[in-house]
Amino acid sequence: MSSESTSPSPVPAAGPGTDGRKPRVAVVFGGRSSEHAISVVTAGAVLSAIDRAKYEVLPIGITTEGRWALTADAPERMAISDGTLPNVDQLSETPEGGVLLPVDPGSREVVYSEPGSVPKALGDVDVVFPVLHGPYGEDGTLQGLLELSGVPYVGAGVLASAVGMDKEYMKRVFDSFGLPIGPYEVIRARDWKLGPENDRGAVARKKIVDFAAENGLPIFVKPARAGSSMGISKVDDLADLDAAVEEARRHDPKIVVEALLRGREIECGVLEYEDGPRASVPAEIPPVTAHDFYDFEAKYIDSASGIVPAPLTPEETARVQEMAIAAFDATGSEGLARVDFFLLDSGELVINEINTMPGFTPISMYPRMWQESGVTYPELVDRLIQAALNRPTGLR
């Protein structure tokens, strides 16, 4: 398979919609996860980049309560402004109306319904571009809904999305394929409940204390199924363990505890072409001095920037690209993914995680890596839409 892309292959011309019109792209964003705001920001970037001469666009926002809202096509209102995060409620055209996807695979007509009003047809949707991050969007749930509806969509399918979201099973899959991972421990909801009545969490606490004794401090406590560094704590002292676990459990009842891996943080983008997946030039996330680690504020509020391309040797670059594609294939991913690594001080390359819907904001690493690889942001968006239009739903 190819790895680094120095210039993009020609993107096939968009075919007409089912009724002779331009293909209609529904950009679905927001959602019920703690990454709601970042999804809105991502949608703004995608809406700005879609070629309106080539596609019709239908923005659909999902509120934090789960309502599918018809929203304004206003990318300028979807950015982080003075540290304030946007949300779908601010963009919704009405406070109660809902957008309904087709339930019949033979129809792609989207309907808008308001209480006390006759439902209004919004026309057929040819492809969905879901830019949701976290549970209820990036984890296979939305992908399953679209499969049932028979509507093509951008990105990974049900299984790859679920595996990519769940850090436990992601690690298990990588390990089964012989891909290197770091030490970890999984704490399920029942572990945190087990123990004497006056010492809930005793079973989980013992697991973590034993893990720390074996691997040393600090350790990282993370929600198993969240992204954008939400709910992650770096624990330097076990006296802070309970607070770290509770913070992670605010986002997910299942948590993952990871050992500190000393080395450089490297990322690599994967993009599916007609001849298979290709890897971008890698990037490096340098140490963030104002933060304990590359957390949410460092990524999105303080606009911490990575180094693109990463200062690696040709041999290291090739290893990163080959392993990024291997991770993409191991999880059965489609469309796009960003694979994150640690290049240890020993020279070993270890996979941290795969993101099947990576950050796609203007400052995100995935588009920056592809820009450096010769694929502009609009070309990236177009290629993903075209790939989805050309890929059937169902078993494939």
Side-chain angles (χ1 to χ4, degrees), residues 157-178:
V158 176
L159 178 62
S161 297
V163 169
M165 190 80 260
D166 191 311
K167 293 179 177 63
E168 176 192 359
Y169 289 98
M170 177 198 306
K171 292 175 187 294
R172 290 182 183 274
V173 168
F174 288 153
D175 189 45
S176 71
F177 275 81

Side-chain angles (χ1 to χ4, degrees), residues 29 47 58-61 69-78 88 90-94:
F29 61 97
L47 287 168
L58 178 65
I60 300 174
L70 191 61
T71 65
D73 184 4
E76 69 281 357
R77 294 171 54 195
M78 300 181 181
V88 168
Q90 297 168 345
L91 300 159
S92 177
E93 294 194 347
T94 64

Side-chain angles (χ1 to χ4, degrees), residues 224-236:
R225 295 160 292 194
S228 294
S229 299
M230 291 283 191
I232 298 179
S233 298
K234 180 182 177 186
V235 177
D236 297 286

